[in-house]
Amino acid sequence: MIEITNKAIENITRLQKEYDSIGWGLRFGLSGGGCSGYKYIIEFEETPDTEDLIYNSGEIKVFLNPIHLDKLKNSIIDWKDSLMESGFHIENPQANRSCGCGKSISF
């Protein structure tokens, strides 16, 4: 299961309006790259792929390709606002370590 905090839901809703993507789902996944081996994918998609798992968190639908499930299960998508940064923050119990940049992880 994937959890989204209330603060993240508020900002996802705001971004959906900003990017004219109201009602679209949130793609959550991984791609190769970054200094630790993987980077998170978080982007809006109008419809899920046929093989996607779909999680609902409030009115937000999360699309997850099942090949990423083992590395992303029980993750929490949060939103961080500080003087230094603003954006999504992922708490992932499967991650061994994350890079100092905060954008890259390893398993």
Side-chain angles (χ1 to χ4, degrees), residues 40 88 98-105:
Y40 290 113
F88 290 106
S98 60
C99 180
C101 70
K103 307 289 184 211
S104 181
I105 56 167

Side-chain angles (χ1 to χ4, degrees), residues 57-98:
S57 189
E59 294 184 23
I60 306 298
K61 292 181 189 134
V62 178
F63 305 150
L64 178 69
N65 187 308
I67 64 170
H68 299 146
L69 182 60
D70 285 344
K71 289 182 171 64
L72 297 176
K73 66 183 173 191
N74 300 318
S75 289
I76 300 170
I77 301 173
D78 195 7
W79 185 269
K80 188 182 255 187
D81 268 321
S82 71
L83 291 174
M84 299 298 286
E85 65 180 318
S86 181
F88 290 106
H89 173 75
I90 309 300
E91 293 179 36
N92 182 345
Q94 278 64 246
N96 288 334
R97 69 181 175 92
S98 60

Side-chain angles (χ1 to χ4, degrees), residues 24-25 27 45-49 52 63:
W24 289 27
R27 164 72 51 201
E45 288 189 3
E46 191 169 6
T47 57
D49 294 335
D52 281 343
F63 305 150

Side-chain angles (χ1 to χ4, degrees), residues 30-44:
L30 295 167
S31 68
C35 34
S36 292
Y38 291 94
K39 295 187 300 185
Y40 290 113
I41 298 169
I42 297 180
E43 58 193 18
F44 294 123

Side-chain angles (χ1 to χ4, degrees), residues 12-32:
I12 291 167
T13 303
R14 177 184 58 80
L15 290 168
Q16 285 174 323
K17 291 175 186 170
E18 222 174 275
Y19 289 100
D20 206 20
S21 305
I22 295 171
W24 289 27
L26 188 72
R27 164 72 51 201
F28 181 49
L30 295 167
S31 68

